[in-house]
Amino acid sequence: MKLEQQAPASGGAVHLLLGNHEVMNLVGDLRYVARGEYAAFADEEDAEERARWFEHFRAANAGAADDETLRADFENKAPPGFFAHRRAFRADGYYGQWLLEKPLLVVIDGTAFVHGGLSPMVADLGLQGVNERLRFELGAYLQAVSLLNDAGILSPVENTNYHAELLKGLESGADQPPEVKEAIETIIELDDSELQGPDGPLWYRGNVACSALTEIDKLDSVFAAIGARRVVIGHTPTVTRRVLQRLDGRVIEIDTGMLAAAYKGSGNALVIAGDSLTVVNESGTMAGGPEPHPRSVGLGAVTLTADELAAALAQGEVRSKAVDATGRTIVTLATKAGDLTALFTKKPRSKGFVPEVAAYRLDQLLSLGMVPVTILRELNGESGSLQLLAAGSTNESQRAAGRLGGGAWCPLDDQWDAMYVFDVLIYNPGRSQRDIIYSPESWQLMLTGHQDAFGTKKSRPPWSVAIELQMGDAWLQALQSLDDAILESELGDVLDKRRLAALAGRRDDLLVRKK
């Protein structure tokens, strides 16, 4: 707030953007507020106000417990300073008024700045629509909550996620004043605002997590709608805790985990001067430009590059080798980067055919980013492939049974669309749910089990005929780059000539269909 006033005197300006944590504080989603933050407001808290809200809390929980237990629960949910904090973030509060003036998205000299990311929703709404409509909805929601707080109908102690549910029973109450009815209707209506959705600018992670083959086309459409050529985002801590860039420089990731206690990172500033991008660390060290986003399929907490991981799989000492309940051979390797778990698949009898390695190399050529790092390796005299197996992964059968994955960083539909195109290209006759696995942290889809793929037919697999493949310009360019010479050079030792020819035929068929 001070810098905003000081900057013009030095010829500058401050553009503060709303992020998910600002909006969470405004609406009352207080999951991440530290007790120390409430304590900073303790001197501003009114004892009478606190006593009044305890009576409200006791009445709402009548019969649930004795007074002593209720008091302890209340003090835990609303520690000293809580109510002064909530007043400061009301629509008419000191911080609330200031924050409600701030945009969610700005574009400066062709660079867009947004907290979470740019989803297709932004292309639909446009720059003005994002900042006006979504911010209007936020202000209307806050004003409605404030009115119901003042009326004693909603308590600041209540979690905002339950506001709509709590109010639905009161929506049609005949004895409610018109302004109260309107506030109730507003909260129920805006409970599903796009602002707070996974595709909203506060929460969207697709710019970081989705394959280039699906995300580039979407992002370019957003850029055309808002007049930008690249976007700078926060929200998702970078895996290396350094400023990163991906999608040919379209996306710059600057959340470097500066909350060191939680993320073990440091603060970094991105300096944009014309076409030059440099990074300055909080220590004052110049760190060059943004680094390439590493290929992270199956890596989890491991920060090795794909080449480093391939070397680790090739050189790692085998600690254990066992067959799991599904018949897969699981290998544990001791490497310089720590223990790694990998899946060993025996080489088929066909000469010059190693399908798991072929799938990985083709994935790399396409920049698909779905097949974990896979190498040729011999174990105990058996030739085959060794593929990284993500720790703690879950398969599609488990995901579907638990109805999980709603918070996927890259929407599951987008990931499955890319998988379908890839499986048509490699003529995968059928992919079992066991071979579709996910990282539970991000729900990144990882593809394994290609032992039946790379058939010699040049047509589409029967299962795919009824599916409309989703292929944008990025897919077209990627397929066009797979000329026969490249296929022979990169895959000639793991696919025989008949399979290479069939792969080239399916490539051509997809290109014709795309056109």
Side-chain angles (χ1 to χ4, degrees):
M1 294 177 81
K2 290 180 179 178
L3 189 60
E4 189 177 56
Q5 301 301 318
Q6 297 166 349
S10 299
V14 170
H15 302 272
L16 176 74
L17 302 179
L18 292 180
N20 62 310
H21 286 277
E22 285 77 21
V23 172
M24 290 169 77
N25 270 276
L26 287 167
V27 303
D29 185 347
L30 308 173
R31 285 173 286 172
Y32 304 122
V33 178
R35 297 181 79 87
E37 186 172 343
Y38 294 133
F41 289 82
D43 291 343
E44 304 169 34
E45 191 164 81
D46 187 328
E48 183 180 342
E49 178 184 34
R50 188 169 189 81
R52 177 167 55 87
W53 283 119
F54 174 67
E55 291 304 320
H56 186 284
F57 182 79
R58 179 161 57 184
N61 293 277
D66 57 49
D67 263 17
E68 185 178 350
T69 302
L70 285 176
R71 172 64 73 176
D73 189 21
F74 177 79
E75 294 293 336
N76 180 58
K77 291 180 176 178
F82 176 89
F83 295 104
H85 175 277
R86 298 315 306 135
R87 275 191 281 107
F89 282 91
R90 282 169 54 117
D92 56 357
Y94 181 68
Y95 295 115
Q97 290 186 69
W98 183 66
L99 288 171
L100 283 174
E101 297 173 351
K102 305 308 173 191
L104 293 98
L105 168 65
V106 296
V107 178
I108 302 171
D109 295 335
T111 298
F113 297 86
V114 68
H115 180 70
L118 300 177
S119 73
M121 175 204 299
V122 176
D124 295 338
L125 294 178
L127 179 60
Q128 186 174 359
V130 167
N131 286 328
E132 291 187 357
R133 189 185 113 184
L134 296 185
R135 191 170 51 181
F136 172 80
E137 291 179 357
L138 174 61
Y141 184 92
L142 291 186
Q143 290 170 1
V145 169
S146 295
L147 189 150
L148 296 183
N149 283 164
D150 292 343
I153 293 173
L154 275 183
S155 166
V157 180
E158 298 289 354
N159 188 310
T160 184
N161 296 317
Y162 304 119
H163 280 173
E165 197 63 34
L166 287 168
L167 294 172
K168 282 178 182 177
L170 302 174
E171 186 177 9
S172 58
D175 58 343
Q176 301 289 358
E179 64 271 17
V180 169
K181 284 186 176 181
E182 184 178 352
I184 290 173
E185 291 170 0
T186 296
I187 290 174
I188 293 172
E189 179 184 349
L190 296 181
D191 185 56
D192 293 325
S193 170
E194 291 177 312
L195 176 67
Q196 294 283 52
D199 290 335
L202 304 179
W203 294 93
Y204 185 67
R205 298 185 194 267
N207 298 160
V208 173
C210 285
S211 165
L213 296 179
T214 58
E215 197 64 14
I216 281 179
D217 292 331
K218 294 179 181 179
L219 198 52
D220 284 347
S221 295
V222 178
F223 286 162
I226 65 175
R229 65 179 183 275
R230 66 176 165 234
V231 60
V232 177
I233 60 176
H235 190 55
T236 305
T238 61
V239 65
T240 62
R241 301 300 186 258
R242 297 176 182 272
V243 175
L244 302 178
Q245 63 89 13
R246 74 183 301 252
L247 305 185
D248 297 326
R250 290 173 174 85
V251 176
I252 311 296
E253 307 166 53
I254 62 169
D255 184 340
T256 53
M258 66 184 292
L259 182 59
Y263 300 110
K264 298 179 174 59
S266 60
N268 287 272
L270 176 70
V271 180
I272 304 174
D275 293 329
S276 173
L277 276 66
T278 55
V279 176
V280 183
N281 185 264
E282 62 185 23
S283 65
T285 305
M286 298 291 291
E291 299 176 357
H293 184 109
R295 188 181 192 278
S296 58
V297 184
L299 292 186
V302 180
T303 58
L304 301 179
T305 66
D307 289 342
E308 289 170 339
L309 186 56
L313 290 175
Q315 300 164 12
E317 178 185 352
V318 177
R319 284 190 181 276
S320 65
K321 179 182 176 185
V323 178
D324 70 4
T326 63
R328 301 180 304 174
T329 301
I330 308 300
V331 178
T332 302
L333 299 169
T335 76
K336 293 180 180 179
D339 287 354
L340 296 177
T341 303
L343 179 65
F344 179 74
T345 304
K346 289 176 60 176
K347 180 179 176 297
R349 293 183 179 180
S350 301
K351 185 177 180 180
F353 180 42
V354 191
E356 297 296 346
V357 176
Y360 169 62
R361 292 185 188 174
L362 186 60
D363 172 288
Q364 283 191 302
L365 291 173
L366 292 166
S367 296
L368 176 65
M370 286 186 171
V371 180
V373 173
T374 312
I375 64 162
L376 294 166
R377 182 160 176 180
E378 185 176 290
L379 292 183
N380 298 331
E382 289 183 325
S383 296
S385 60
L386 200 58
Q387 181 178 77
L388 177 69
L389 188 60
S393 59
T394 187
N395 62 38
E396 171 58 19
S397 178
Q398 295 165 327
R399 185 206 65 80
R403 298 182 180 180
L404 305 171
W409 290 10
C410 180
L412 292 184
D413 286 347
D414 290 346
Q415 297 191 69
W416 277 64
D417 285 342
M419 176 184 70
Y420 289 145
V421 179
F422 183 66
D423 279 351
V424 167
L425 179 63
I426 67 174
Y427 198 91
N428 197 349
R431 186 179 291 281
S432 74
Q433 292 188 327
R434 184 198 70 177
D435 295 327
I436 302 172
I437 61 178
Y438 302 90
S439 164
E441 176 192 3
S442 62
W443 292 101
Q444 178 188 38
L445 191 155
M446 295 171 281
L447 304 179
T448 65
H450 300 101
Q451 61 274 10
D452 297 323
F454 295 100
T456 56
K457 294 182 179 180
K458 297 183 179 181
S459 58
R460 291 177 58 166
W463 61 263
S464 70
V465 175
I467 295 177
E468 183 178 352
L469 299 179
Q470 302 299 315
M471 298 171 54
D473 290 341
W475 263 111
L476 177 62
Q477 294 171 12
L479 290 170
Q480 288 174 332
S481 71
L482 297 178
D483 61 43
D484 292 352
I486 287 178
L487 292 179
E488 172 65 35
S489 170
E490 299 298 324
L491 304 177
D493 62 328
V494 290
L495 292 179
D496 58 47
K497 292 189 179 300
R498 289 186 62 201
R499 288 184 169 86
L500 277 174
L503 174 62
R506 292 190 295 273
R507 171 206 61 200
D508 294 342
D509 181 65
L510 285 171
L511 285 171
V512 169
R513 292 175 185 273
K514 169 60 183 159
K515 293 176 183 178

